[in-house]
Amino acid sequence: MNNELIDRITDMFHKTFGKAPAHLVRAPGRVNLLGEHVDYNDGFVLPAAIDRATYIAFSPTSTSLSGLVAVDFNQQASFSPQTILSKTQADGSPLPEWAHYPAGVMWSLNENRLETRGMNAVFASNVPRGSGLSSSASVEMAFALAWQALSDWSLPPMQRALLGQRAENEYVGVNCGIMDQFASACGVENKLLLLDCRSLEWKTIPLPEDVSIVIADTTVRRKLTSGEYNKRRAACEEAVRLLQQDLPNIKSLRDVSMEDFNRLAKKLPEEVSKRARHVVEEIERSKQAEALLEIGDIQRFGEFMNQCHASLRDLYEVSSFELNAMASIAQSLNGCYGARLTGAGFGGCTANLVARKKAVEFTQELGLRYESETGLKPEIYITRASNGAELLT
Ligand code: ADP
Ligand code: MG
């Protein structure tokens, strides 16, 4: 499937620009196994880069203008460091929405005094959009690496991730945490990534060979959810502000122990207390996860995933009918260690840890039962932890 994508963009590059592209990059989407809605609370996250990615075929041009073809939208856009501030194209028309992501990366690099040479580029992705697998970060990390490949600067992957996050926060206007860009930039084949979102220290954790990661797409896309997302962030900030009356040294919910939280929760408004409880308990689970994975206790790790889903459903309230159906069917199936919604929620995908020997049977059974419960045909696939953004030629 990935080779097909590469062929498509290479052909399209040829048709559009009359010669073969000089370079090819890929940058993956990601699946998060534990630590949901904690990246913006200074917590720990446990994602993996997946084997679905955004691919760009590109060549440098002799001007500062970049001309992009988005195959998946069947659209083109062109912009330069001179036009990005006004979010317009070279001809003065507004940038299409999808182009805000690559233009945002150009903006963010330029803000950091990193030159972005003009390029002709054709890109496409098999990361589904708006489904919790972070198609936006994969686009950003692919373009950050593409511009790096054409320049004489070179940044470590984490620095590119931070610049991508800045692009999404300040240029696109989505208030995301660092996890998505981090996983897309820093992924390592067959490994989970454990990131401390406060210090940005990270390490890899091996996933046992007899365990598969299965992604189950409900096919329901989240919509108009940025308002809900911002409300969750605001509730977390409100909790910190109120808890600081008793715990003056805390800077974020990361600093609140379970014990302190249980003692003080009654002082919080009910909704704020529910949101904060999810975060405090989820950070506690993700702290313990490292030790579990080190000793290969996938059973208990899977239970944490199930608890995470219940908490996102009942406390953080970011689940949906379809996500709940997909997770609970999966949890009842043979060979499944854990299943939960992944990403911001409100639609999209679940992440499942399944015994490798049972994985094919699991995907079939899950598909059938989900369809009979919801009337929707899901897309379910076995994925593997893959490398982060890389130059392919
Ligand atoms: P996700 O959870 O998948 O990251 P977002 O809403 O954050 O969802 O980002 C989706 C947006 O990213 C799309 O609406 C589009 O603007 C951009 N994008 C993602 N994939 C592509 C693609 N293949 N081609 C062009 N733009 C894309
Ligand atoms: Mg995104």
Side-chain angles (χ1 to χ4, degrees):
M1 190 158 120
N2 292 341
N3 287 335
E4 240 171 69
L5 248 185
I6 293 173
D7 290 346
R8 262 179 69 206
I9 58 171
T10 312
D11 283 354
M12 183 64 108
F13 190 95
H14 224 279
K15 271 194 207 129
T16 314
F17 301 111
K19 53 183 173 195
H23 308 281
L24 202 59
V25 292
R26 72 174 271 283
R30 63 101 188 92
V31 62
N32 187 26
L33 292 185
L34 204 67
E36 206 66 87
H37 282 286
V38 302
D39 61 346
Y40 52 84
N41 288 296
D42 286 346
F44 299 86
V45 293
L46 250 167
I50 58 175
D51 58 359
R52 291 190 168 216
T54 297
Y55 291 81
I56 315 176
F58 62 103
S59 294
T61 62
S62 51
T63 69
S64 64
L65 199 65
S66 285
L68 272 46
V69 179
V71 174
D72 301 322
F73 285 82
N74 198 16
Q75 281 182 17
Q76 304 196 8
S78 66
F79 51 85
S80 71
Q82 289 74 45
T83 68
I84 41 173
L85 264 186
S86 57
K87 297 193 175 160
T88 53
Q89 305 202 49
D91 65 4
S93 63
L95 281 177
E97 193 249 12
W98 60 264
H100 287 199
Y101 295 84
V105 171
M106 176 185 271
W107 170 82
S108 175
L109 292 168
N110 292 171
E111 283 287 293
N112 283 268
R113 295 168 205 277
L114 298 164
E115 168 220 28
T116 48
R117 222 177 136 177
M119 67 162 113
N120 286 326
V122 174
F123 74 107
S125 178
N126 54 15
V127 183
R129 293 187 290 280
S131 69
L133 303 178
S134 215
S135 66
S136 62
S138 81
V139 169
E140 290 153 6
M141 292 303 94
F143 275 97
L145 191 59
W147 270 304
Q148 172 170 306
L150 299 181
S151 307
D152 45 21
W153 51 265
S154 169
L155 295 175
M158 180 61 97
Q159 290 303 315
R160 289 198 302 272
L162 287 164
L163 290 174
Q165 184 199 13
R166 183 169 180 207
E168 189 149 342
N169 290 169
E170 295 179 37
Y171 193 88
V172 181
V174 175
N175 208 3
C176 59
I178 185 62
M179 169 171 66
D180 301 352
Q181 291 81 6
F182 157 72
S184 180
C186 301
V188 180
E189 199 160 23
N190 298 324
K191 306 275 199 236
L192 299 179
L193 312 170
L194 176 64
L195 170 70
D196 177 336
C197 298
R198 171 172 276 167
S199 67
L200 298 185
E201 278 171 33
W202 65 280
K203 61 195 284 194
T204 62
I205 301 188
L207 191 64
E209 272 185 22
D210 54 0
V211 177
S212 294
I213 302 173
V214 176
I215 292 174
D217 191 338
T218 62
T219 70
V220 179
R221 292 288 168 265
R222 58 184 156 77
K223 39 187 168 318
L224 299 175
T225 53
S226 62
E228 289 300 319
Y229 178 83
N230 290 338
K231 275 194 228 162
R232 300 302 183 282
R233 289 188 70 138
C236 294
E237 283 162 22
E238 174 74 354
V240 172
R241 202 179 56 77
L242 294 169
L243 290 169
Q244 276 169 340
Q245 292 166 5
D246 294 278
L247 307 168
N249 292 327
I250 63 168
K251 294 198 169 55
S252 67
L253 289 174
R254 151 84 172 262
D255 302 317
V256 182
S257 68
M258 276 308 315
E259 207 183 7
D260 281 339
F261 187 78
N262 286 333
R263 182 166 56 82
L264 299 167
K266 55 182 176 299
K267 295 191 175 182
L268 302 176
E270 193 189 336
E271 189 174 290
V272 172
S273 162
K274 273 161 76 173
R275 307 295 187 248
R277 179 174 293 282
H278 163 75
V279 173
V280 172
E281 291 181 352
E282 181 73 352
I283 291 176
E284 185 57 35
R285 279 188 286 274
S286 39
K287 272 191 205 158
Q288 292 178 27
E290 183 183 356
L292 291 180
L293 289 167
E294 293 295 350
I295 58 167
D297 190 347
I298 295 296
Q299 198 87 37
R300 183 98 187 95
F301 181 79
E303 284 165 24
F304 279 2
M305 289 176 69
N306 295 344
Q307 287 170 17
C308 171
H309 183 81
S311 177
L312 291 167
R313 180 190 64 208
D314 302 334
L315 297 176
Y316 222 60
E317 298 182 278
V318 293
S319 193
S320 68
F321 168 75
E322 292 83 5
L323 284 167
N324 291 338
M326 192 72 94
S328 73
I329 297 165
Q331 288 168 7
S332 75
L333 293 178
N334 210 346
C336 178
Y337 294 107
R340 69 174 197 80
L341 77 86
T342 189
F346 300 107
C349 297
T350 62
N352 306 265
L353 270 193
V354 183
R356 185 169 297 263
K357 279 193 202 142
K358 300 272 170 66
V360 172
E361 201 182 310
F362 170 86
T363 58
Q364 288 163 351
E365 189 66 23
L366 179 59
L368 288 174
R369 291 225 220 157
Y370 176 79
E371 193 178 347
S372 80
E373 240 175 70
T374 63
L376 298 167
K377 223 178 179 47
E379 205 202 328
I380 304 177
Y381 45 92
I382 301 170
T383 189
R384 6 174 236 99
S386 84
N387 281 331
E390 57 194 344
L391 203 57
L392 298 176
T393 48

